[in-house]
Every structure is written in C-alpha cells, then in structure tokens.
Amino acid sequence: MKNKTLALLMFACGASAATAAEYTRIIPEKSAIKFVYRQMNVPMEGSFARYSSQLRFDPAKPAAATASFQIDLNTIDTGATDADEEVRGKLWFNTKAFPQASFVSNSVIALGGNRFEVRGKLTIKGKTQDITAPLSFSQDGPNGLFEAAFSIRRADFAIGEGAWADFGTVANDVQIKIRLLASTSK
C-alpha cells in the first residue's frame, strides 16, 4: 500500500510540474503601477490608472519570459487635481508630446525562491535608460502575482525641468512599485 501511495504522490507531483503555466494576461482591476517620491521631504504617492501590457512568463522557464508595458501618462493621479494638471504639462511629463512611457524587458534571470531579476529599457519623454528590477512571483489561486520595486532618477528623464529641476522641492529619486495579477488565459 505504501508503494502505491508513494507512486501516486510522485505521479501527482510530476504531473503538476509538467503543466507549468505561462502567464499572458494582466488583470488590470487587480493590478497597480504606483510611484513614491518626496515633496518638501514629505513622502507622497501616486499612480497611473491606464496601461497596456504584453506578457509571457512561465516561472519554470524565466529565460524565455518577455514583458512590455505602455503607461498612459495622462492618467496620472497624484492625489490632487491641480497637481495632476501640472505634471502633465511641458515642464514635467509633457504629455502632449510624450503621452506614454514604456518598458520593454530584455532578460529575466532566476534568483531562486520565486525571486527574479528583470532587465530592460524604460522610456519616458523620449529618453531611454537601462533598468534592473527585482521581481517576486507567487501563486494567487489560479493566477500569478508579480511584485517589483525599483528607483529611477527623474532628472535622467527630464521630469521636472526649469524651476522644478531643483531637487530641494521635489526629490530626484522616485520609487516605482508594481503589483500585477496575471492569468494564463488570453
């Protein structure tokens, strides 16, 4: 009896490993792209309401993963309507000329323990920088939960020009926080 139970357990474990899932669709209503910055040394948080994405991620095959995001900068939410209008303007995001920011991955490296390192190119206001972000992955029922946080310098992308280029009012460092729930369905 023990041998049959052991054989059944080994078969079940092998069957689940053989059917590893590839996550391909972000569930927007359960996902978020946020940013944290300091204004007059006070931590502030904002988010973007709309973005599109293309994703292919199988945790068993991270080297084959691909991801790209296009963020609608006009959907910025800083928590204040007048601030939202200001940051859409020419000195900040200049959304009339640059309505989207984008990220395109070029590699995903497994670090162990459902942790990964994602490398790619982030483009904001026509300026592109190489980005490396730590990423964690976990199961959330039938879905996959991806969480990442990394920092950028707004000056690298000319976010906040003119009088806003002084980092005494708004700090140069901005932390990006991403929480994405993805399914295996298209």
Side-chain angles (χ1 to χ4, degrees), residues 97-172:
F98 305 100
Q100 291 187 335
S102 66
F103 174 80
V104 178
S105 69
N106 53 34
S107 72
V108 177
I109 300 164
L111 302 176
N114 287 324
R115 294 177 308 113
F116 302 86
E117 180 179 270
V118 178
R119 294 180 182 181
K121 302 221 177 264
L122 177 64
T123 302
I124 305 173
K125 286 182 75 175
K127 297 178 181 349
T128 301
Q129 295 284 320
D130 290 323
I131 298 294
T132 299
L135 171 78
S136 66
F137 170 80
S138 60
Q139 285 296 138
D140 187 350
N143 301 313
L145 177 62
F146 300 86
E147 295 181 288
F150 60 95
S151 292
I152 64 170
R153 291 186 184 104
R154 63 183 183 89
D156 291 346
F157 299 96
I159 301 169
E161 298 180 69
W164 293 108
D166 174 22
F167 305 132
T169 303
V170 178
N172 192 25

Side-chain angles (χ1 to χ4, degrees), residues 34-46:
K34 297 183 177 189
F35 56 94
V36 178
Y37 62 101
R38 295 184 85 75
Q39 183 170 334
M40 296 190 298
N41 212 24
V42 175
M44 308 290 281
E45 184 173 281

Side-chain angles (χ1 to χ4, degrees), residues 2-161:
K2 276 185 175 179
N3 287 343
K4 286 183 182 178
T5 304
L6 182 60
L8 183 59
L9 184 59
M10 288 174 61
F11 174 77
C13 289
S16 66
T19 58
E22 181 176 71
Y23 297 91
T24 56
R25 189 180 75 79
I26 302 296
I27 304 169
E29 62 275 11
K30 295 188 178 184
S31 301
I33 297 177
K34 297 183 177 189
F35 56 94
V36 178
Y37 62 101
R38 295 184 85 75
Q39 183 170 334
M40 296 190 298
N41 212 24
V42 175
M44 308 290 281
E45 184 173 281
S47 63
F48 294 97
R50 277 194 313 265
Y51 50 90
S52 60
S53 62
Q54 296 76 44
L55 175 69
R56 288 188 54 222
F57 182 86
D58 179 342
K61 302 174 191 169
T66 61
S68 65
F69 294 89
Q70 298 74 40
I71 300 166
D72 182 348
L73 296 176
N74 282 301
T75 67
I76 192 167
D77 180 0
T78 63
T81 305
D82 56 338
D84 296 345
E85 287 300 318
E86 177 72 27
V87 296
R88 288 184 191 116
K90 190 172 182 176
L91 296 179
W92 287 92
F93 284 113
N94 192 6
T95 60
K96 286 185 181 175
F98 305 100
Q100 291 187 335
S102 66
F103 174 80
V104 178
S105 69
N106 53 34
S107 72
V108 177
I109 300 164
L111 302 176
N114 287 324
R115 294 177 308 113
F116 302 86
E117 180 179 270
V118 178
R119 294 180 182 181
K121 302 221 177 264
L122 177 64
T123 302
I124 305 173
K125 286 182 75 175
K127 297 178 181 349
T128 301
Q129 295 284 320
D130 290 323
I131 298 294
T132 299
L135 171 78
S136 66
F137 170 80
S138 60
Q139 285 296 138
D140 187 350
N143 301 313
L145 177 62
F146 300 86
E147 295 181 288
F150 60 95
S151 292
I152 64 170
R153 291 186 184 104
R154 63 183 183 89
D156 291 346
F157 299 96
I159 301 169
E161 298 180 69

